[in-house]
Amino acid sequence: MGEHFYLKVPSDPNRLSEIEEFAEAAGIANGFDPHRCSTLGLIVTEAVNNSIHHGNLSNPEIPVEITIDSFPDYLQIHVKDSGHGFDPNSLPDPTAPENLMRDHGRGFLILHHYCSAVQTRILPDGFETILFFSRFEA
């Protein structure tokens, strides 16, 4: 395992640009090309946004923790909140006609599109989303 990056932020949507910069900096430090760094910023921001709104119910007193660990061909990203968790398989299909005009509900679709794998787990003290982000586009 290579470098380890860690950030703990309040559940405040106004901090999303800081989170995007943190993720992109981890990509740069690991030699990812600029396009992949931008994509990394997008997926980490999306995962954290989900944690802020759904896990921590936008309570700034409750933090979100982001960990990025580097491996030779990918980054492993952990986003942890204090929510009760959910079953990602129970999410409505955002591509179904009745959901196309909704202003939310596409987060996990985005994560699955850009990551080589997405895992979730319910922890005793919260919920964690684990993303595997390849150095190269598939």
Side-chain angles (χ1 to χ4, degrees):
M1 186 166 74
E3 293 191 64
H4 176 80
F5 302 85
Y6 176 80
L7 181 65
K8 185 176 184 177
V9 294
S11 292
D12 178 356
N14 294 318
R15 302 291 292 269
L16 291 175
S17 62
E18 175 187 346
I19 293 155
E20 182 177 25
E21 290 172 11
F22 163 77
E24 289 179 1
I28 290 167
N30 281 282
F32 280 57
D33 71 54
H35 175 71
R36 292 302 282 162
C37 289
S38 293
T39 304
L40 178 62
L42 169 75
I43 63 150
V44 173
T45 301
E46 183 58 44
V48 171
N49 191 48
N50 285 343
S51 286
I52 287 172
H53 291 292
H54 303 294
N56 293 343
L57 305 176
S58 300
N59 181 345
E61 301 291 318
I62 306 171
V64 175
E65 296 180 64
I66 306 112
T67 304
I68 301 176
D69 292 306
S70 66
F71 294 87
D73 293 331
Y74 66 94
L75 296 178
Q76 184 174 326
I77 302 114
H78 292 252
V79 177
K80 183 184 175 297
D81 61 53
S82 296
H84 299 292
F86 67 100
D87 176 5
N89 295 320
S90 69
L91 294 173
D93 178 2
T95 64
E98 66 272 14
N99 296 327
L100 290 177
M101 300 306 291
R102 293 178 67 192
D103 63 354
H104 62 280
R106 292 173 188 81
F108 264 76
L109 180 70
I110 291 168
L111 298 179
H112 281 282
H113 178 77
Y114 289 110
C115 296
S116 52
V118 177
Q119 299 174 353
T120 58
R121 63 182 178 172
I122 296 173
L123 305 169
D125 61 343
F127 185 74
E128 184 174 52
T129 302
I130 307 162
L131 311 170
F132 296 85
F133 186 73
S134 174
R135 179 174 300 280
F136 308 102
E137 291 187 63

